[in-house]
Amino acid sequence: MKTWKKWAVLGIVTTISTGILAGCASSGNASEEHQKTVTLWAGGSDNVKVGMEKIVEAFNKSEAGKEHQLKLEFIMSGAGAQTVSDRIVAAKKAGETKTNYDLILTSDAEYGAYIQEGGSDLFTPYNAEKIPNLANVQTEISTGKGTLVPYRGTTVVLAYNSENVPNPPQTADELYTWIKDNPGRFSYNTPGSGGAGGSFVQTAIYNFLPEEAMNSSDEKWKSEWEQGFDLLADLHDSMYQTGGKVIYPNKNQGTLDLLINGEVDMIPTWADMMITNLSNGMLPETVKMTQIDPGFTGNVDGLVMPSIGSNQEGAQAVMNFMLSEEAQQILLDSMAAIPVIDSTNITSEKSKYLAELNVENFRTSSLGSLGNELNEIWDQKIGTLSK
């Protein structure tokens, strides 16, 4: 299998992905007897949950697990609960310390938004000596160097029913033409509920902007969003409908379910979600994936330590484990995660699907808080068109 070094360009990474993490449990102060517990906060779709549960089990059985026990707090995307970022920022501003926010799963795309809201000291830099497996990492992140430890990569692709679409679109313009020529047969989820829909929206808007804008949180770019939103509004009437009304599904899984059930022929989806559903038989082999040019966005997903956490030693032990061959194998098998280390000794049936991805079409996106603003404007301009 190819290594992530070969896969990564521009320092990628969905969600991933996945969108801003959401939390529902209160942070609370960690008691003395639980100082050896490492609490990992994560969010996203079910495939991420499954992968993290397997990581927790493996870590707790490992040598490092004799000293630190890993606990998972997972919130499904689109759950509607207060986000982890909101909770962490609020706790930090309230002066809380020694909370159970030991480790956060996030992406380089989301990192900027965290820092904008919580300040440059929201996260604690890691000690590289505590994470020797960093020497094996063969990818780069677009932001958060010295603080964010990458653990997997993915990107958003175009999934389609090859029986009904023998010649899928190859460019963004061809895709938009196809959508209008085939009303009701395309869908994307609300951008605030999942990264696949978010990537579709960002791509439609930022294709009209300079490439540098996709990795900038500068407010000046907002004045150039109008043309992209006009495009999304023009496509609205051609989207999936039910009961005579355009519906934008909730969460990444929502559009994938429409494709599985044959209600649409084409959707944007995370590569790892599609590969997982192909390999477990939920998607028929007639469903294929392709990349358009310019490509949809992706991310590098990673781990960061909030400065208000309780167990930095344990958090760094988890970071180190996540970069082991054992953990990278688990992530590939359970999540179709593209390895971030030399994958010579990492093999999987899912590797054949990864080989179809063309790294030349991978794009990174890191908008900081602009990403949330863009989603809110979509809710106002596009989401309301169906009402």
Side-chain angles (χ1 to χ4, degrees):
M1 176 186 162
K2 297 181 179 179
T3 66
W4 170 244
K5 184 176 182 180
K6 296 176 182 176
W7 292 108
V9 291
L10 302 175
I12 337 174
V13 129
T14 274
T15 256
I16 142 249
S17 177
T18 53
I20 299 292
L21 303 181
C24 66
S26 74
S27 60
N29 289 330
S31 62
E32 196 67 35
E33 63 187 78
H34 292 108
Q35 287 297 305
K36 295 302 182 182
T37 298
V38 185
T39 304
L40 168 64
W41 289 79
S45 301
D46 188 61
N47 65 321
V48 180
K49 181 175 184 291
V50 171
M52 289 304 108
E53 287 174 341
K54 291 182 181 297
I55 287 293
V56 168
E57 181 181 3
F59 176 85
N60 289 338
K61 290 180 179 178
S62 71
E63 190 67 24
K66 295 178 180 179
E67 185 173 358
H68 305 280
Q69 283 291 291
L70 182 57
K71 176 184 176 183
L72 176 66
E73 291 283 357
F74 192 92
I75 309 302
M76 296 296 290
S77 61
Q82 185 182 25
T83 65
V84 169
S85 60
D86 287 342
R87 288 173 177 267
I88 292 175
V89 170
K92 179 176 177 291
K93 289 182 177 179
E96 293 186 33
T97 59
K98 300 299 181 183
T99 68
N100 68 348
Y101 292 114
D102 298 316
L103 201 56
I104 304 294
L105 220 63
T106 189
S107 69
D108 55 357
E110 298 167 339
Y111 182 87
Y114 268 102
I115 297 302
Q116 279 183 284
E117 294 296 322
S120 59
D121 61 344
L122 182 63
F123 298 124
T124 298
Y126 57 75
N127 181 349
E129 293 182 359
K130 299 286 187 179
I131 314 174
N133 284 337
L134 276 171
N136 302 326
V137 174
Q138 298 189 330
T139 188
E140 294 183 4
I141 52 178
S142 61
T143 188
K145 288 183 172 61
T147 304
L148 180 70
V149 172
Y151 79 92
R152 69 156 178 146
T154 188
T155 191
V156 172
V157 296
L158 190 65
Y160 64 98
N161 181 339
S162 62
E163 288 187 331
N164 296 339
V165 188
N167 298 303
Q170 297 300 305
T171 68
D173 287 341
E174 288 179 7
L175 171 59
Y176 304 142
T177 297
W178 187 93
I179 291 171
K180 298 195 73 172
D181 289 345
N182 297 271
R185 303 308 298 172
F186 184 89
S187 181
Y188 66 92
N189 61 278
T190 56
S193 70
S199 177
F200 180 85
V201 169
Q202 283 187 22
T203 300
I205 292 172
Y206 276 76
N207 279 352
F208 292 107
L209 277 64
E211 193 67 25
E212 64 181 284
M214 295 197 77
N215 287 287
S216 171
S217 59
D218 195 321
E219 292 278 329
K220 70 179 182 181
W221 300 116
K222 291 172 59 176
S223 63
E224 300 187 39
W225 286 354
E226 185 174 356
Q227 194 171 2
F229 275 114
D230 286 345
L231 168 63
L232 293 170
D234 185 50
L235 294 173
H236 172 79
D237 288 339
S238 299
M239 293 296 160
Y240 167 75
Q241 297 189 19
T242 182
K245 179 180 176 181
V246 170
I247 297 294
Y248 294 95
N250 186 44
K251 302 195 295 185
N252 300 318
Q253 189 63 45
T255 47
L256 198 60
D257 287 341
L258 292 179
L259 187 63
I260 290 172
N261 296 332
E263 295 181 67
V264 296
D265 292 321
M266 196 180 297
I267 63 168
T269 188
W270 286 107
D272 54 340
M273 287 188 68
M274 179 173 175
I275 292 169
T276 297
N277 280 272
L278 280 171
S279 60
N280 65 19
M282 289 298 293
L283 278 171
E285 289 293 331
T286 53
V287 173
K288 309 292 183 182
M289 68 177 170
T290 189
Q291 292 167 281
I292 60 173
D293 183 26
F296 292 124
T297 53
N299 315 106
V300 171
D301 272 4
L303 298 156
V304 288
M305 296 183 294
S307 55
I308 60 173
S310 304
N311 190 351
Q312 292 180 5
E313 287 290 321
Q316 290 174 113
V318 175
M319 287 174 162
N320 191 58
F321 178 77
M322 198 76 90
L323 298 177
S324 67
E325 285 191 355
E326 178 185 358
Q328 293 285 294
Q329 181 74 62
I330 290 171
L331 293 169
L332 177 57
D333 287 338
S334 62
M335 296 169 56
I338 300 173
V340 298
I341 67 172
D342 183 349
S343 57
T344 303
N345 297 321
I346 302 174
T347 60
S348 171
E349 278 297 309
K350 294 183 174 67
S351 299
K352 64 182 181 181
Y353 301 112
L354 295 178
E356 297 178 16
L357 299 179
N358 178 4
V359 299
E360 296 300 322
N361 284 334
F362 278 25
R363 298 166 83 189
T364 184
S365 170
S366 182
L367 306 182
S369 61
L370 286 183
N372 292 332
E373 292 187 53
L374 187 149
N375 291 345
E376 291 171 1
I377 294 175
W378 184 94
D379 290 340
Q380 297 164 12
K381 288 180 172 287
I382 310 301
T384 57
L385 294 177
S386 297
K387 296 181 180 179

